[in-house]
Amino acid sequence: MENTTGAMKFICVTLLIISGITDSRSDLLSFSFTEQYEAVGPADAVLAVAGEDVILPCSVKPNISVVDMRVEWFRLDPKDSKLVHLYEDHEDRNTNQIESYRGRTKLNHQELQRGNTSLKLSSVRVSDEGLYKCFIQSKSWSDDATVDFNVEAVGRPPVITVDGFDHSGGLHLLCESEGWYPEPDLEWLNSEGVSLSSETTETQTDSV
């Protein structure tokens, strides 16, 4: 009887130790899954020239496939966030996309297998400038990253020449510049930065 009792105590202690190890591993796996992955965006603001295409970077680190996840890009607005691009159930679903982005956004579906959720934005406009959020969600995990996007206008520096004189001795000045996108506003200033008034001002745009 004494031997049997001793054996039972030994078995009981062994089961408790194994149970403790199992619980510890379960907690470790749970912590690792929820804390290991994160959505990562660029450290600095993204700059693009108006009229060109741009990539807004975002990815999951470490790299895992997000093919089965939800990927949503939207603009951060003080009043209401607006949808820029949505990928869900293995396809793009942009029914509720902002109208101005229609046909200009794209996710590389092959890159989704490597955790790359970067958004390509075509034909950049000045109105596209702002803060964007990349939101990634699976059944048991979600995270987001913010992208600050700035747009730079382009155009050649203006050249001013004297185009003639009128009957009262006033000057006709000609200001020429091209390649601007978007189309700029025109204002004449003197050397001190004060706005000049004129009898007439004509603006001519050459179409290509």
Side-chain angles (χ1 to χ4, degrees):
M1 292 294 293
E2 294 180 357
N3 292 337
T4 304
T5 304
M8 291 179 63
K9 289 181 178 179
F10 175 75
I11 293 173
C12 191
V13 171
T14 303
L15 289 174
L16 287 174
I17 293 175
I18 292 175
S19 176
I21 293 174
T22 302
D23 292 342
S24 177
R25 287 181 177 176
S26 177
D27 292 341
L28 181 60
L29 288 173
S30 176
F31 174 82
S32 176
F33 182 79
T34 56
E35 297 294 333
Q36 183 179 8
Y37 302 108
E38 63 176 339
V40 179
D44 301 317
V46 176
L47 178 64
V49 175
E52 295 184 352
D53 299 345
V54 68
I55 299 293
L56 302 182
C58 184
S59 60
V60 175
K61 299 296 181 182
N63 302 102
I64 57 171
S65 174
V66 296
V67 171
D68 298 325
M69 299 186 190
R70 173 189 175 96
V71 178
E72 182 179 2
W73 278 89
F74 55 92
R75 290 193 63 166
L76 294 178
D77 187 275
K79 297 180 180 180
D80 183 32
S81 297
K82 300 178 180 179
L83 180 66
V84 173
H85 193 98
L86 175 62
Y87 169 87
E88 190 175 30
D89 296 331
H90 304 136
E91 63 181 11
D92 299 313
R93 298 175 176 270
N94 291 321
T95 303
N96 297 321
Q97 182 185 46
I98 304 174
E99 184 65 30
S100 61
Y101 288 89
R102 290 288 168 87
R104 298 199 298 126
T105 61
K106 183 179 181 181
L107 289 177
N108 189 324
H109 288 198
Q110 292 183 342
E111 286 295 315
L112 293 177
Q113 299 176 9
R114 291 183 279 273
N116 185 356
T117 59
S118 299
L119 182 73
K120 180 180 180 180
L121 180 59
S122 302
S123 303
V124 167
R125 306 169 182 175
V126 174
S127 59
D128 294 333
E129 187 172 271
L131 288 176
Y132 291 74
K133 179 163 286 189
C134 168
F135 176 74
I136 307 170
Q137 182 182 40
S138 70
K139 294 180 180 179
S140 56
W141 170 87
S142 66
D143 197 16
D144 59 71
T146 302
V147 180
D148 185 8
F149 179 46
N150 297 323
V151 180
E152 184 179 45
V154 294
R156 293 185 181 180
V159 176
I160 300 176
T161 56
V162 177
D163 193 40
F165 301 87
D166 60 21
H167 63 278
S168 62
L171 287 175
H172 286 171
L173 298 179
L174 175 64
C175 176
E176 294 181 295
S177 183
E178 61 183 15
W180 285 96
Y181 186 92
E183 185 176 326
D185 295 326
L186 175 64
E187 184 179 8
W188 288 90
L189 305 174
N190 64 14
S191 59
E192 298 178 350
V194 178
S195 180
L196 295 176
S197 59
S198 62
E199 293 183 0
T200 58
T201 300
E202 296 182 2
T203 302
Q204 179 177 345
T205 302
D206 293 332
S207 58
V208 179

